[in-house]
Structures are given as C-alpha cells and as structure tokens.
C-alpha cells in the first residue's frame, strides 16, 4: 500500500492481527515507508522487489487454487472425459513437491524436470564437509533442505536456523538463473547442514540449462523466487 501518499489507493485491511502476550515486534507506519521510498532510491527498489515477490506468490497460490476448484467442478459435473495426467513421482519427490513446490505454484511437470537435474548432498562427516554455501563466494548452488536442520553464519556468528523443508540460497541463485549475467551474485552467509539431514542441490549452470531446454522451468523458478 505504498502507491499513494495517504494509503488510500488500496482497500482497507482485511483482518485484525493480535500479538501474543510477551511477543516483540517492530512496526513501521505507511507514511514513514512512503516518504522513505521517495527519498531513497535503493530503498524504493527493495520495496518494489518485495511487492513483486508478494504478487508472484499470490498468483502462484491463485493458480493452484483455481486448478483445484476446476478439478472439483469437473468431478461434480461428471465430466469423466477430462483427465489430468502427471508424471508418477518417487515417494521422496512427492513429499517434497507437496510440502514446498506445489505451495509455491510450481507445476508437477516443471518439478519433475528439476528433480532430474538435482544431485543429493552428503550430510555426514565434519562441519566442513556439510558446508553447502560459503559466505562471499559465488552463489552457484540452490539447496533444498528436505528434512533435518541447517544453520547460517555471517562472519562466524550464527544468525539463522532452518528446518526442512526449506530452500537455501534461493534468492541469489535464482537471480542468476532467471535474470542471467556474466557472473553469479555472492552468497551472503555460510550455511552448514546438520548431520543426518536430507538435502539435494542444483547448480546455477544446470538451472540455466533447464531454463533454455524446458519452457515450464522459468515460471517455476520465478514462483520459488
């Protein structure tokens, strides 16, 4: 709601949100954000990117819900001629698809293409062996944590913990895969998988190759972004 000075461009809030007792939060007024984006071009660009991502996720969810609604209507109306066919997935792939990628609006065919290009990540051994992303190095690997945990470190300080399923290093790698460029962006943190976690990874080169080969992959990556 940053397209008008007083926030009147969009409709009013749809719900009341209550903080739980003991919660801590930071609030920014619409007026402050609106004035800051006028004064700071870098901040304005960041806000436009955040808005674009939100719209992308909403569109993905809308496509998924619309497809489910149409399938339900077809069943109710007895239209047996309409049959939706998709590739049969392995149980692990099916769980990952339903828990993560389907919720983002990624189609099953695009997900199947991604699965074919993914490589399992070894999560045994010491922390060095389980380091899948290194701070300030080229962000060339998109890692999906299927189960277990991981931790992110900046300058040696633990700053974030992850629990599967989760996409790791997605922003930088997907920028390189979708937008392109001569060199990939740099990773902002070092990520170490917990021992025994289950993960798989895609290289930026493989993702770019998939985008060129399969027209369904680029929209799928945008949905993840």
């Amino acid at each position: 709601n940053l397209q008008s000075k007083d926030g009147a461009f969009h409709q009013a809030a749809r719900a009341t949100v209550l903080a739980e007792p003991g919660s801590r939060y930071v609030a920014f007024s619409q007026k402050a954000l609106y004035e800051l984006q006028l004064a700071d071009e870098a901040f304005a660009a960041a806000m436009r990117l955040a808005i674009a991502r939100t719209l992308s996720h909403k569109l993905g969810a809308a496509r998924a819900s619309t497809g489910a609604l149409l399938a339900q209507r077809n069943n109710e109306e007895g239209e047996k001629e309409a049959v939706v066919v998709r590739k049969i997935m392995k149980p692990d792939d099916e769980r990952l698809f339903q828990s993560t990628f389907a919720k983002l609006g990624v189609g099953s065919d695009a997900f199947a293409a991604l699965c074919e290009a993914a490589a399992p990540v070894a999560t045994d051994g010491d922390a060095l062996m389980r380091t899948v992303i290194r701070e300030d190095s080229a962000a060339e690997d998109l890692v999906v944590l299927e189960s277990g945990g991981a931790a992110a470190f900046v300058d040696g300080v633990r700053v974030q913990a992850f629990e599967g399923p989760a996409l790791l290093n997605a922003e930088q790698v997907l920028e390189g895969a979708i937008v392109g460029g001569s060199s990939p962006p740099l990773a902002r943190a070092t990520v170490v998988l917990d021992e025994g976690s289950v993960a798989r990874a895609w290289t930026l080169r493989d993702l770019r190759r998939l985008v060129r080969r399969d027209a369904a992959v680029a929209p799928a990556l945008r949905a993840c972004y």
Side-chain angles (χ1 to χ4, degrees), residues 124-145:
D124 51 0
D126 58 19
L128 183 61
M129 295 294 295
R130 291 181 277 110
T131 300
V132 291
I133 301 165
R134 288 176 171 79
E135 182 181 4
D136 293 332
S137 63
E140 295 184 328
D141 293 303
L142 171 63
V143 180
V144 57
L145 177 64

Side-chain angles (χ1 to χ4, degrees), residues 82-100:
V83 178
V84 178
V85 178
R86 66 177 175 87
K87 293 182 179 180
I88 298 175
M89 300 181 191
K90 296 184 294 184
D92 289 346
D93 293 346
E94 182 73 35
R95 282 192 293 270
L96 180 60
F97 175 69
Q98 296 296 342
S99 65
T100 305

Side-chain angles (χ1 to χ4, degrees), residues 60-126:
R63 286 193 297 269
S65 61
T66 300
L69 180 61
L70 290 175
Q72 180 181 354
R73 287 179 178 176
N74 287 341
N75 290 335
E76 291 174 353
E77 295 171 3
E79 295 180 7
K80 298 181 179 179
E81 296 82 0
V83 178
V84 178
V85 178
R86 66 177 175 87
K87 293 182 179 180
I88 298 175
M89 300 181 191
K90 296 184 294 184
D92 289 346
D93 293 346
E94 182 73 35
R95 282 192 293 270
L96 180 60
F97 175 69
Q98 296 296 342
S99 65
T100 305
F101 288 86
K103 293 179 180 179
L104 294 173
V106 176
S108 59
D109 288 343
F111 176 75
L114 288 170
C115 284
E116 293 176 359
V121 178
T123 57
D124 51 0
D126 58 19

